[in-house]
Amino acid sequence: MSIKIDKLKQIIEELKEDMGNGFVATDIWATADAQPLVGYNSQPKAVALFNEVTRMLDKTLRSAEFSGLGDYYLVHLDNDHLVVILSIGDYQQGMLVDLSKTTMGILMSVVLPKVLAGLKEATQ
């Protein structure tokens, strides 16, 4: 599977436009080695740790006889920030969002569908 780095960079630029000051950080990485491919306010330590969290969460869901992990999951932090982890094929993207500066409506209805489509396009 090849990756289109220019498309990944475009995704980040669109995130900046769509969320404004609510967009804090993002990294996009290959799940196999947890090395960031592109990012904005990159957090390599978070990439490595969330790569493992995604693996364990999917394993836990399957062990509990739930269906596997879907395209994304959310972690609400106590400082009104939100971590969004998207998992598309062999790649993941982590986003840190400040909910005091954007809304869940924008994130869920505008940003998330757009980013998911962009990641799918970039990884085909």
Side-chain angles (χ1 to χ4, degrees), residues 66-104:
F66 287 24
S67 59
L69 193 59
D71 291 339
Y72 65 92
Y73 62 93
L74 310 172
V75 180
H76 188 217
L77 305 177
D78 62 8
N79 62 353
D80 211 22
H81 281 61
L82 187 73
V83 174
V84 182
I85 303 294
L86 300 98
S87 183
I88 302 297
D90 296 332
Y91 299 93
Q92 293 183 59
Q93 177 172 1
M95 295 186 296
L96 182 60
V97 177
D98 184 341
L99 291 175
S100 72
K101 297 178 182 173
T102 192
T103 66
M104 283 295 287

Side-chain angles (χ1 to χ4, degrees), residues 1 3 8 11 26-32 47 50-59 61-62 68-74 83-95 112 115-121 123:
M1 186 181 294
I3 187 87
L8 298 180
I11 290 169
T26 193
D27 282 291
I28 302 173
W29 68 91
T31 300
V47 166
F50 275 108
N51 197 61
E52 184 63 13
V53 167
T54 301
R55 187 187 68 75
M56 289 300 298
L57 182 55
D58 190 55
K59 180 180 176 184
L61 290 168
R62 290 180 189 281
L69 193 59
D71 291 339
Y72 65 92
Y73 62 93
L74 310 172
V83 174
V84 182
I85 303 294
L86 300 98
S87 183
I88 302 297
D90 296 332
Y91 299 93
Q92 293 183 59
Q93 177 172 1
M95 295 186 296
L112 204 51
V115 172
L116 285 168
L119 283 174
K120 288 175 183 175
E121 182 183 327
T123 59

